Amino acid sequence: MCELKVRVIAPQKDEQVAQDVIYARVEQDHVFLKDVLGVAHSIQNALISTIDIGKETLSLRQSSVVGPFLRFLEACDSAE
């Protein structure tokens, strides 16, 4: 099984925020992560940037505009 180390990349920041992650999902204003023990993590205002199975890493791009943008997309989907 392949567990991932999760890094958040943002202006002025590049840090590991989780490890042994086996599940990731983009939600309304955050990325929801779950590790092998079932512990949940929520990374606000982020999107999945890169998944590299060879290096066992998942990179998230974090920005203050991501949350409002994702809510806007959800509103557009609901209006269709």
Side-chain angles (χ1 to χ4, degrees):
M1 183 181 249
C2 183
E3 296 86 18
L4 304 172
K5 295 179 267 328
V6 180
R7 300 195 66 75
V8 171
I9 300 165
Q12 315 298 327
K13 180 166 94 173
D14 181 353
E15 65 180 336
Q16 184 173 318
V17 295
Q19 61 185 15
D20 299 329
V21 169
I22 58 169
Y23 182 84
R25 178 179 68 228
V26 176
E27 295 194 345
Q28 188 174 16
D29 61 353
H30 64 279
V31 174
F32 174 80
L33 307 168
K34 194 169 13 174
D35 67 20
V36 293
L37 299 176
V39 176
H41 304 272
S42 178
I43 311 300
Q44 295 295 315
N45 297 317
L47 288 173
I48 296 171
S49 173
T50 307
I51 301 171
D52 187 332
I53 298 301
K55 294 182 180 179
E56 297 182 344
T57 60
L58 168 65
S59 297
L60 304 176
R61 182 73 174 165
Q62 190 176 50
S63 172
S64 61
V65 300
V66 170
F69 178 71
L70 290 174
R71 287 190 293 277
F72 171 75
L73 288 178
E74 190 166 306
C76 289
D77 288 344
S78 297
E80 290 183 345

